[in-house]
Amino acid sequence: MPHVLPALILTLVVSGCGSPAPMRPDLFYSLDPEPLESPAGAALPGTLLVSDLAARGFLGGRQIVFRTEAEPLQVQRYDDLLWADPVPRALSRNLVRAVRHAQVFEFALIPADRVRADYLLGGEVERFEHLPTATPPRVVGALNLALVRADDRRSVWDRSYRAEVEVQGDTPDAMAEAFNRLAALLAADVVRDLRTLPRATRSSVTP
């Protein structure tokens, strides 16, 4: 028995060291910032339909995407940091909320509303990622959007939007807060462009 004890103790120690570490639970974050642009002037007497945005690769899902300075060409994603909704859908809803809040159009809708629209706004999410090793760390986003008339599909404008926000902290919560600020800035830029539609264009819209 005395000869067996050291081997037994060593076995217990090794098996204890080899046990897996407790897994961290997934963290889900909402992408739903408060709109930045307030109402200003009369609304267009018409309806804007904001389509669900397109996205390639990881950007089309719910995992939060990041990129490091050491590997700038490699797009990566966090395993346990997730959005409550896919990024394209969340950003589309942010645009609708911002347009409604700013009262640019009489009505701002999503495809599920199934109502005839006067203008269609759609496009693609080009970037929406965390840069944790940048100096300072930040989040960056880019959208390519097009506004067209619904009746004849004539293009009104086709524009790109880009913004970045510094992350105030080294926690996942700080990163999510920066992403929400980023989404609000992008939506505000779109709202300001919608407000520049010429008055003749506005008067030609039918309710």
Side-chain angles (χ1 to χ4, degrees):
M1 189 65 179
H3 297 289
V4 176
L5 282 176
L8 178 60
I9 294 173
L10 179 61
T11 300
L12 292 174
V13 170
V14 171
S15 62
C17 293
S19 61
M23 294 183 62
R24 187 172 76 171
D26 292 340
L27 299 179
F28 292 87
Y29 289 99
S30 62
L31 195 59
D32 189 24
E34 290 295 324
L36 299 179
E37 290 291 311
S38 299
L44 271 85
T47 300
L48 173 71
L49 176 66
V50 180
S51 303
D52 287 340
L53 299 179
R56 304 177 190 177
F58 295 153
L59 284 178
R62 296 167 61 184
Q63 287 182 292
I64 298 177
V65 175
F66 71 94
R67 194 189 303 253
T68 65
E69 290 189 330
E71 297 173 310
L73 299 181
Q74 186 176 121
V75 181
Q76 304 179 65
R77 55 185 178 174
Y78 295 112
D79 292 330
D80 53 0
L81 302 179
L82 304 151
W83 296 116
D85 293 299
V87 169
R89 184 188 303 168
L91 292 180
S92 299
R93 300 306 185 266
N94 286 341
L95 290 173
V96 172
R97 185 181 181 190
V99 172
R100 287 175 178 171
H101 182 79
Q103 298 179 13
V104 182
F105 286 83
E106 278 188 334
F107 304 99
L109 308 172
I110 61 175
D113 292 322
R114 299 186 180 279
V115 176
R116 181 178 178 181
D118 301 290
Y119 288 99
L120 307 175
L121 180 66
E124 181 181 14
V125 183
E126 187 177 278
R127 291 187 73 183
F128 203 73
E129 59 194 35
H130 183 210
L131 305 179
T133 61
T135 306
R138 57 187 182 273
V139 293
V140 297
L143 305 176
N144 294 320
L145 301 180
L147 179 70
V148 301
R149 297 178 184 273
D151 55 357
D152 56 11
R153 291 301 195 272
R154 290 182 59 186
S155 176
V156 179
W157 50 249
D158 184 354
R159 297 175 183 174
S160 296
Y161 299 88
R162 187 184 187 282
E164 60 181 56
V165 175
E166 182 178 340
V167 179
Q168 302 293 330
D170 57 359
T171 65
D173 287 1
M175 177 194 62
E177 289 172 2
F179 268 122
N180 272 268
R181 175 68 178 173
L182 174 65
L185 291 174
L186 291 169
D189 287 343
V190 177
V191 166
R192 285 191 288 269
D193 276 352
L194 291 173
R195 281 180 170 153
T196 65
L197 289 172
R199 194 64 202 178
T201 302
R202 295 188 175 200
S203 62
S204 67
V205 180
T206 57

